[in-house]
Amino acid sequence: MIASILEWLTSSATWSGEGGLGARIVEHLWYSLLAVGIAAVIAVPLGLWVGHTGRARWIVSLANSLRAVPTLGLLFAVALWLGPKISGDLAFLIPSVVVLVILVIPPILSGVYAGVEAVDPATRDAARGMGMRGMEVVRQVEIPNAMPLILSGLRSAFLQVIATATVAAYIGLGGLGRYLVDGIKTGDYVSTAGGAVVVSVLALLVDGVLALVQRLVISPGLTGGRTGRARRGRSEPVTASTSSTTSTSSTSSTSSASSASSASSASLTGSDTRSPARPGMSAGDGEVDSDAT
């Protein structure tokens, strides 16, 4: 089975044509980007408002409850409701995008709200003390500090929508879900398994790209990381203090040696300044004569 899947993935017939694997990947990414884009337009401003003002937090709870809704059942319900009212290919595209947007809103909204809510109140007060207005605080203080959680919510949204966009094939839409649905109908389990593998790899690749973007966009000060300059700057004072300590000890040793040398010279000089004894007279004789006088 594994050998058959690898042969299917590497076959030129699999990748060629309008219904080839390359075209299906492009369609799948287009549906995912469209759903995440629409959901971000709705969820990001709403999350900023709820996190900044602290009002209507029930909206976040309501959005999280939507995760319990079965995706496939919701897709059929929306398709039966909107399908007869729309003509052409939009009758398949709009219901699928609506369902994917409903699926993607909760992680984005939760990430934005949690990031803004977690900003230190002292930081907000400092910004207001500098004269910033409400929207200036949001743009220049809250959004930069909330960026790690905002991007984490977007990463989670992309993973969910890429994995779930395959259900759009059940109502006649394209994408990688065609291999799963058509393969099960025709009994072609090699293409079914191959399509599942491609979906998994695509989700991992997109998540890796977003992780790299998150690492480049977020300031190291928010993640606890340090730049090379900061590491060098931190090591320099240690070297300076060590050399200062060494030079201080050397100076102290030199001063001690100089003091000892000066003391020794002073003692020798003091002994030389005493008056010498007269010739032919000893020290004892001088003392006798002095007493006698």
Side-chain angles (χ1 to χ4, degrees):
M1 184 67 176
I2 296 178
S4 300
I5 295 174
L6 293 176
E7 183 180 358
W8 181 82
L9 290 173
T10 56
S11 175
S12 59
T14 304
W15 292 84
S16 61
E18 295 182 356
L21 187 56
R24 295 302 184 189
I25 291 175
V26 173
E27 291 176 351
H28 202 88
L29 289 175
W30 163 242
Y31 302 149
S32 302
L33 289 173
L34 182 61
V36 172
I38 297 174
V41 171
I42 299 172
V44 171
L46 189 59
L48 291 175
W49 178 75
V50 175
H52 179 72
T53 61
R55 302 173 184 173
R57 297 181 180 177
W58 58 268
I59 296 177
V60 181
S61 301
L62 178 63
N64 287 327
S65 65
L66 294 177
R67 300 184 182 188
V69 177
T71 306
L72 192 58
L74 182 61
L75 175 64
F76 287 146
V78 175
L80 292 175
W81 175 46
L82 293 178
K85 301 177 182 180
I86 305 172
S87 60
D89 294 337
L90 294 178
F92 305 103
L93 179 62
I94 291 180
S96 301
V97 172
V98 168
V99 172
L100 293 177
V101 167
I102 294 175
L103 175 70
V104 169
I105 283 179
I108 299 177
L109 179 61
S110 299
V112 175
Y113 162 73
V116 176
E117 181 74 12
V119 176
D120 190 357
T123 306
R124 295 192 183 97
D125 294 339
R128 293 189 181 99
M130 296 173 62
M132 292 186 184
R133 301 289 182 178
M135 288 306 299
E136 291 178 341
V137 173
V138 173
R139 290 194 307 266
Q140 302 182 28
V141 177
E142 290 179 345
I143 291 179
N145 283 278
M147 193 59 68
L149 291 178
I150 293 176
L151 292 181
S152 296
L154 287 173
R155 287 178 60 184
S156 177
F158 266 106
L159 283 175
Q160 291 185 19
V161 74
I162 289 176
T164 315
T166 54
V167 300
Y170 281 99
I171 61 172
L173 210 60
L176 293 173
R178 291 256 52 99
Y179 293 110
L180 279 68
V181 175
D182 297 341
I184 293 175
K185 287 182 178 180
T186 60
D188 187 3
Y189 299 110
V190 174
S191 63
T192 303
V197 170
V198 174
V199 171
S200 302
V201 173
L202 183 62
L204 293 176
L205 289 177
V206 171
D207 185 64
V209 172
L210 292 177
L212 180 60
V213 172
Q214 183 175 359
R215 184 175 181 181
L216 295 175
V217 170
I218 297 176
S219 172
L222 297 176
T223 58
R226 292 182 301 155
T227 59
R229 182 179 299 177
R231 288 193 293 268
R232 290 194 299 270
R234 185 176 178 179
S235 62
E236 286 174 357
V238 177
T239 306
S241 59
T242 305
S243 61
S244 177
T245 304
T246 305
S247 62
T248 303
S249 59
S250 301
T251 305
S252 300
S253 301
T254 306
S255 301
S256 300
S258 300
S259 301
S261 176
S262 299
S264 176
S265 300
S267 63
L268 292 176
T269 305
S271 63
D272 291 341
T273 55
R274 292 178 298 178
S275 59
R278 291 193 299 266
M281 182 181 295
S282 63
D285 293 341
E287 292 176 357
V288 174
D289 291 343
S290 175
D291 293 338
T293 304

